[in-house]
Amino acid sequence: MAGAGSSMLYSFLLFIATLSLQEVYRAKLASSELFTILGGFISSLIFLLLLTFIGNYQETCGIRTGWGAVIIAEAVALIAASTVHRVCITTCFLFSAGLLYEVNRLSGMSEPKAKRI
């Protein structure tokens, strides 16, 4: 299992690469309906990568913000989606909500549940 430092570095590098490629190909992503939906999905991946980076940074520093990390990551992803197309904002939000649900479900599986007495 990767440590918090290496996971933070890899997620940041992937965040920068994904954001850069989305901006380079934004004209292509806005050219058709299917590519617009793909642009929203790519923006939701930006959300996931930034959320991973912020979470690992918080774990390294020993601080917690709770929903603050989610809101910051979502705001950045929605701003990135808005540079491509207006519909990308909506699809990014929907895909991000689905990814957040899955991440929350997976994190609940890794922690043992407390037994009730």
Side-chain angles (χ1 to χ4, degrees), residues 6-21:
S6 62
S7 177
M8 181 173 61
L9 176 67
Y10 294 146
S11 63
F12 182 71
L13 291 175
L14 283 172
F15 165 74
I16 295 296
T18 307
L19 183 63
S20 300
L21 287 172

Side-chain angles (χ1 to χ4, degrees), residues 4-81:
S6 62
S7 177
M8 181 173 61
L9 176 67
Y10 294 146
S11 63
F12 182 71
L13 291 175
L14 283 172
F15 165 74
I16 295 296
T18 307
L19 183 63
S20 300
L21 287 172
Q22 181 182 11
E23 293 303 314
V24 167
Y25 292 110
R26 79 171 143 192
K28 179 68 175 171
L29 290 171
S31 65
S32 71
E33 293 177 5
L34 187 60
F35 282 134
T36 304
I37 295 171
L38 179 65
F41 179 72
I42 292 170
S43 295
S44 69
L45 292 179
I46 289 172
F47 161 74
L48 184 65
L49 292 169
L50 190 58
L51 184 65
T52 304
F53 171 75
I54 294 171
N56 286 321
Y57 178 75
Q58 288 177 346
E59 185 177 330
T60 302
C61 294
I63 57 174
R64 290 279 179 200
T65 59
W67 285 98
V70 175
I71 292 170
I72 290 170
E74 185 68 28
V76 170
L78 291 176
I79 290 169

Side-chain angles (χ1 to χ4, degrees), residues 82-97:
S82 70
T83 63
V84 176
H85 195 274
R86 292 181 308 217
V87 176
C88 286
I89 300 170
T90 306
T91 56
C92 171
F93 184 77
L94 294 174
F95 282 128
S96 296

